Amino acid sequence: MVNLGYHAAKIQGKFNRSLYKAALYQIVNIPIKQTRQVPISVYAFSCERDLPEQVASIRSFIRYVGIPDTFTVVSDGSYTDSSCNLLRRINPCVQVIPLQNFLRTDLPQCVFDYAQLHPLGKKLLALMSIPINGTTIYTDSDILFFPGGIDLINLSNSDDKYSLYLPDCSISLDERIIYDNSEKLNAVNSGFILFRHEFDWSFAIERLANLQENPTYFTEQTIVHLTMHHNHGEPLCSKQYVLHVEDQFIYPEKFASQKIALRHYVNDVRHKFWFNLDI
C-alpha cells in the first residue's frame, strides 16, 4: 500500500526547496530582524550542493539566537565565487573559507588519507581545525534553529567546563573502531557540537590510524563520538535539541515548535527541513 503522507511530504519538501533555491539572491537581501550580539563563534562545513540549506541555517541562527562574533562556513572546495559572495551577503558576521586555507598544519596523516577517500574525512579535518576561543559551535548545514535557540546564550554564559553534544537517535557507528560494547553507549551525533575547550583527539585518531580497511561514512561520526566521551562531553537535552526520525513516514512535521532550540534534519527527514522556514 502506498504511503500517501510520506510521498506527499517528500514532494512538498522538494517543491519548497526549489522555490527557496530559485529565490536565494533575493532572500539574502532581506534584512533579518535581529540586533542581539552573542559571544559565540560558529563554524559550518558544507558544499555547493547544500547552498540553500546553508543559507537557511545561517539565517535561522541569526534570527533566533543572535548575531555571533563570526559565522564561518568552511567550504569543501566546491563553492563557486558567486555562492561565497551570496553567503557573505547574509550578514557581515559571515565569512567563507576554503578548507585548504582553514586546516591546521599538525593534523595526522591518517585523517588526510581519509579525506582523500570520503567527503566526511574532509569534515573531520575541518572539525579538528576549529580554533576554540571561548564558546564555539559547530553546526551542519541541515540544522534549523528555532526560538528556543536563545538557550544557547545561557549555555555560552555558563561556567560549566565540559563540551556538549547532540544525542543521536540511533547507534550509527563504525564498529571496526569500537573496541568494547560499552563504547557504544550515549551515541553522539557529529552534526552539532558546543565546544568549551580544545579536544584531545589522539585516543580516537590512534584507532583510525590502526584501521586496516578504508574508513567509511560513519567513521567520522565514530571518531567524534569516541573523542567527545574521552573529553567528558555531556549531552544536550534531546527534547530541546532535536534529532528524531519518528515522523519520517507521516506528512506533518512532528517536532518543530517555538520551544525547541534546533532540529537536525538528517537524511531520513531532510525534506521536512523545508516545512519550517521563516525567510
Side-chain angles (χ1 to χ4, degrees), residues 11-276:
I11 292 168
Q12 184 70 59
K14 184 176 181 180
F15 178 72
N16 290 357
R17 185 183 191 274
S18 68
L19 292 179
Y20 195 90
K21 182 177 180 180
L24 278 178
Y25 285 91
Q26 291 74 39
I27 289 169
V28 296
N29 288 326
I30 300 173
I32 304 170
K33 294 181 180 179
Q34 181 61 272
T35 58
R36 181 172 57 244
Q37 304 282 332
V38 293
I40 300 172
S41 297
V42 186
Y43 293 84
F45 176 75
S46 62
C47 61
E48 180 72 26
R49 179 199 62 200
D50 297 329
L51 177 62
E53 285 81 3
Q54 187 65 81
V55 169
S57 182
I58 294 171
R59 288 179 64 87
S60 69
F61 185 95
I62 293 172
R63 177 177 292 108
Y64 293 123
V65 182
I67 303 169
D69 292 338
T70 56
F71 197 120
T72 303
V73 178
V74 181
S75 166
D76 72 342
S78 63
Y79 272 124
T80 65
D81 289 344
S82 175
S83 295
C84 292
N85 290 332
L86 182 146
L87 286 165
R88 295 184 186 106
R89 282 163 56 190
I90 296 172
N91 186 276
C93 72
V94 178
Q95 54 186 6
V96 186
I97 301 177
L99 178 62
Q100 63 268 24
N101 295 344
F102 183 70
L103 295 179
R104 288 174 48 165
T105 59
D106 59 347
L107 298 181
Q109 184 59 44
C110 63
V111 186
F112 286 98
D113 294 341
Y114 182 17
Q116 292 294 317
L117 295 170
H118 200 284
L120 286 175
K122 294 182 179 180
K123 177 184 171 183
L124 182 59
L125 283 174
L127 285 172
M128 294 179 69
S129 297
I130 292 174
I132 311 301
N133 298 302
T135 301
T136 303
I137 285 173
Y138 171 80
T139 177
D140 276 354
S141 60
D142 56 355
I143 288 178
L144 281 181
F145 296 86
F146 292 85
I150 199 168
D151 180 61
L152 289 167
I153 300 175
N154 298 329
L155 293 178
S156 71
N157 292 329
S158 170
D159 292 330
D160 291 349
K161 60 182 180 179
Y162 296 123
S163 296
L164 301 171
Y165 66 86
L166 180 65
D168 212 336
C169 62
S170 63
I171 299 175
S172 302
L173 301 171
D174 182 348
E175 298 199 13
R176 297 172 303 169
I177 56 174
I178 296 291
Y179 291 177
D180 188 278
N181 280 335
S182 64
E183 294 179 338
K184 299 179 185 178
L185 298 176
N186 303 313
V188 174
N189 181 270
S190 65
F192 185 86
I193 302 170
L194 191 151
F195 293 94
R196 289 202 171 105
H197 57 83
E198 294 274 359
F199 277 180
D200 174 8
W201 293 87
S202 59
F203 173 78
I205 294 301
E206 182 178 357
R207 297 190 182 187
L208 176 64
N210 291 334
L211 186 63
Q212 298 300 308
E213 305 85 12
N214 287 336
T216 57
Y217 185 89
F218 286 119
T219 307
E220 172 264 335
Q221 180 154 284
T222 310
I223 291 169
V224 173
H225 167 87
L226 292 170
T227 299
M228 179 64 74
H229 290 304
H230 184 68
N231 287 268
H232 310 291
E234 297 180 346
L236 291 156
C237 173
S238 61
K239 292 182 179 179
Q240 195 169 8
Y241 295 82
V242 178
L243 197 169
H244 291 299
V245 296
E246 294 170 15
D247 56 349
Q248 177 182 0
F249 296 113
I250 61 175
Y251 181 83
E253 153 73 87
K254 185 177 178 181
F255 296 100
S257 74
Q258 299 289 302
K259 294 181 180 180
I260 71 169
L262 61 84
R263 183 176 184 185
H264 188 185
Y265 291 89
V266 293
N267 286 333
D268 291 343
V269 291
R270 181 71 48 77
H271 54 288
K272 295 197 173 183
F273 180 100
W274 300 103
F275 281 36
N276 298 291

